[in-house]
Amino acid sequence: MNRRIALIPAIALSLGGAAPQPSPDGMRLDLIIANGRVIAGDDARPRIADIGIAGDRIVFVGTRPRGVTAARIIDARGLDVTPGLIDPHTHSGPDALAADPDRRALPNHLLQGVTSIAIGNDGGGSTDLAGLFARLAANPTGPNVASFAGFGEIRLNVVGERDRPPAGVEVRRMQALTLRAMCDGALGLSTGLYYAPQSYAKTNEVALLARIAGRHGGIYETHLRDEGSSSIGLMAAIDEAISIARIGGLPLHIAHIKALGADVQGTAPKVIAHIDAARKGGLRITADQYPWEASSTALAAAIVPRWAQDGGAGAMVERLKAMTPRLRADMAEQLRIRGGPNAILMVGGAQKGQRLDAIARAWKLDPLDAAARLLIAEPAAFIASFNMAQSDIDAFARQPWVVGSSDATGGHPRRMGSFARRWRLFVREKKLMSDVAFVQRSSTLTARILGIRDRGVLAPGKFADIAIFDPATYAERATYDAPDLPSVGVAYVIVNGRVAVDRGRLTGTLAGRPLPKPRQPGWKCPA
């Protein structure tokens, strides 16, 4: 037996106590991180300590046992050493599954110290989780990758893009797809009820699938049906999510929590009190948040009413060409909620970087007609939408049940800088949370919410996913005008024991693994 591996249990016992005497010939690990300020992810105060790594696991945290050496020693003096950060809400699936290894490295995540991500959010998770995880295993990524089962993909696969309820046989097919996904390792069921055609689903339809996820250890993760006042209202949408979680018998996780739009700005305290009341009533509710005042979504999702999207993009385009008085009135109301045409920034296409009001002036059109022209040319056009108040963002950031996320999408700086901005803004400058709380709400609690085992904490026996950064310089550089600038301050990133970022530079190492949720005893899964 390899002496290095055989002696790991003995060394692991040294945490919190005296180091045992090593064998006469000593032992040699793969990596030691020395002299760093360790924020372990538990409730302990930061401390100067060494961390030993053998293979993909942490061997010791604390004083280095006498006689122990390593193939490499990283001097982390002056740097913070934390568990690798975990991003529970991304749209990084296309990059994770790309043929190009440079895309699969997902540098936007690694250069912020993120070592694990979730995909399949907003209801977009694959209906073939076994195939997804097989591809990820065969073509590794920079960070580890977990996935949700996507209600949107399930419903689209069975019902299509029409505004109608599913028939009984279709419900059973949707339940079967959910069961298959959970048995193949999904974190839970994700929805994006704000988006057509998911928005056509009624509460009970979603709850029937959530119940399957709940029986198999999953969570209900949702982009609420309304984050402002565009349909049923923010509070009603939260109540709907709570109802689905209660019927399904599973925890609720609210994606990118916010108060979006002119009618609800300033209501974060009311939202927090409402959620706290449900939590005190026994429901497990958490949320994630990105620290930016602009959201990002499709232009159609932002201002085109859902009835006008019935039948898909082609049907929507024909309605936009006709532009009936009803459609114009409904689009005008959605644009008002969003803060008007100056609040809409195009993040792709020929008009990238321009506001809707400027585009309308250049074309000598009313802003609604300019929006229609944009959508007719590119139905999937994306925007950044400036519609959140900083006071609401800060209020949500203070909550112990709100964790960090990116909602990473192209054209928005949140993709490159959300965790780094969260540290700069909330820890270093505004002091809305301590450094210990940042780590817990960027890694430890996130792992617990998602059910990711043996990650999110620095302790013997845990996977060696580690971020090492300069607390004084860790910050975002990405802006709305330059959204692709990488963050700074991260010196080293370790993924499964391998160095993915070395002295601030990507190594090209693709050490990430698929993270299917393990099956539990008693699960009834199809063969």
Side-chain angles (χ1 to χ4, degrees):
M1 180 180 291
N2 184 305
R3 178 176 296 277
R4 179 180 66 194
I5 302 302
L7 289 171
I8 285 176
I11 301 174
L13 293 174
S14 70
L15 182 67
Q21 292 293 324
S23 62
D25 58 351
M27 65 194 72
R28 188 170 175 81
L29 305 180
D30 293 308
L31 179 64
I32 290 175
I33 301 167
N35 307 312
R37 180 175 178 265
V38 173
I39 308 174
D42 53 21
D43 293 327
R45 295 172 60 87
R47 59 176 177 145
I48 304 301
D50 291 354
I51 299 175
I53 297 168
D56 60 1
R57 299 278 181 162
I58 295 172
V59 176
F60 71 85
V61 180
T63 302
R64 189 191 317 178
R66 284 175 290 176
V68 172
T69 61
R72 180 178 180 184
I73 297 177
I74 292 175
D75 187 355
R77 195 181 312 270
L79 303 177
D80 282 358
V81 182
T82 75
L85 309 184
I86 300 174
D87 192 337
H89 192 104
T90 79
H91 294 278
S92 298
D95 286 338
L97 295 169
D100 181 358
D102 289 339
R103 286 183 63 189
R104 294 204 312 276
L106 295 161
N108 57 304
H109 294 295
L110 288 179
L111 290 173
Q112 294 183 78
V114 173
T115 58
S116 296
I117 66 170
I119 62 175
N121 305 88
D122 291 349
S126 171
T127 57
D128 179 14
L129 266 294
L132 171 75
F133 290 133
R135 284 185 63 186
L136 291 170
N139 301 282
T141 52
N144 305 302
V145 181
S147 182
F148 286 95
F151 174 76
E153 289 299 308
I154 291 170
R155 193 178 203 275
L156 187 65
N157 187 274
V158 175
V159 180
E161 295 185 299
R162 300 312 305 268
D163 183 1
R164 68 170 180 83
V169 65
E170 291 174 322
V171 170
R172 290 189 289 275
R173 284 177 59 198
M174 291 164 67
Q175 290 176 315
L177 287 171
T178 305
L179 175 60
R180 180 74 272 168
M182 293 304 303
C183 288
D184 288 339
L187 298 170
L189 181 71
S190 81
T191 65
L193 300 183
Y194 174 75
Y195 299 105
Q198 295 181 68
S199 58
Y200 305 141
K202 305 302 182 186
T203 302
N204 192 57
E205 177 186 332
V206 182
L208 288 173
L209 304 194
R211 186 177 293 160
I212 301 293
R215 288 172 182 165
H216 291 78
I219 67 172
Y220 176 59
E221 189 259 7
T222 182
H223 178 140
L224 297 168
R225 192 180 294 273
D226 196 350
E227 296 177 320
S229 58
S230 63
S231 59
I232 66 173
L234 174 57
M235 300 304 292
I238 291 172
D239 283 338
E240 179 188 41
I242 288 172
S243 176
I244 290 169
R246 282 181 172 147
I247 295 170
L250 74 177
L252 166 62
H253 184 79
I254 299 173
H256 41 61
I257 193 167
K258 62 174 73 76
L260 183 152
D263 296 334
V264 298
Q265 288 179 3
T267 63
K270 180 181 177 181
V271 172
I272 291 165
H274 195 65
I275 291 173
D276 278 339
R279 283 168 52 86
K280 289 176 182 176
L283 189 63
R284 288 174 291 171
I285 306 179
T286 52
D288 60 71
Q289 177 198 40
Y290 54 82
W292 304 88
E293 68 273 24
S295 63
S296 185
T297 191
L299 178 59
I303 67 170
V304 178
R306 299 300 175 263
W307 64 262
Q309 298 181 52
D310 184 11
M316 178 189 73
V317 165
E318 292 306 311
R319 294 184 181 106
L320 288 168
K321 288 178 180 177
M323 189 57 81
T324 63
R326 179 192 176 194
L327 180 54
R328 179 177 290 277
D330 285 357
M331 289 178 63
E333 173 61 6
Q334 296 301 319
L335 188 58
R336 179 197 70 79
I337 290 168
R338 288 272 167 178
N342 183 253
I344 305 295
L345 174 71
M346 304 305 299
V347 298
Q351 283 70 44
K352 181 179 180 180
Q354 298 184 57
R355 305 267 180 156
L356 180 57
D357 58 346
I359 296 169
R361 285 194 300 271
W363 288 350
K364 295 180 171 57
L365 292 175
D366 178 87
L368 289 176
D369 294 318
R373 179 170 164 180
L374 288 165
L375 287 167
I376 289 167
E378 187 181 353
F382 254 67
I383 62 169
S385 178
F386 293 81
N387 43 38
M388 286 180 271
Q390 189 64 48
S391 61
D392 287 331
I393 297 169
D394 291 352
F396 287 126
R398 291 187 182 97
Q399 305 313 305
W401 42 266
V402 175
V403 300
S405 71
S406 68
D407 198 9
T409 52
H412 192 296
R414 66 189 186 186
R415 177 175 176 270
M416 301 297 293
S418 286
F419 285 87
R421 179 180 176 89
R422 188 173 171 85
W423 175 272
R424 177 186 67 79
L425 199 61
F426 297 157
V427 177
R428 197 162 66 230
E429 295 181 7
K430 293 191 173 187
K431 304 188 186 309
L432 299 183
M433 64 182 72
S434 68
D435 48 8
V436 171
F438 171 88
V439 171
Q440 291 176 335
R441 299 181 208 168
S442 300
S443 187
T444 317
L445 178 57
T446 312
R448 194 177 307 147
I449 290 167
L450 299 179
I452 294 176
R453 295 179 177 177
D454 292 337
R455 302 181 195 270
V457 66
L458 300 179
K462 304 300 183 183
F463 284 105
D465 288 352
I466 301 173
I468 306 173
F469 60 88
D470 182 347
T473 62
Y474 182 39
E476 84 287 6
R477 288 197 303 145
T479 66
Y480 295 104
D481 292 328
D484 296 325
L485 294 175
S487 294
V488 294
V490 171
Y492 302 91
V493 177
I494 317 298
V495 181
N496 294 310
R498 299 170 65 190
V499 179
V501 175
D502 194 339
R503 299 178 180 87
R505 296 180 178 276
L506 296 167
T507 64
T509 297
L510 301 179
R513 298 172 181 171
L515 298 179
K517 190 178 182 74
R519 290 188 186 184
Q520 301 299 308
W523 285 16
K524 295 181 178 179
C525 290

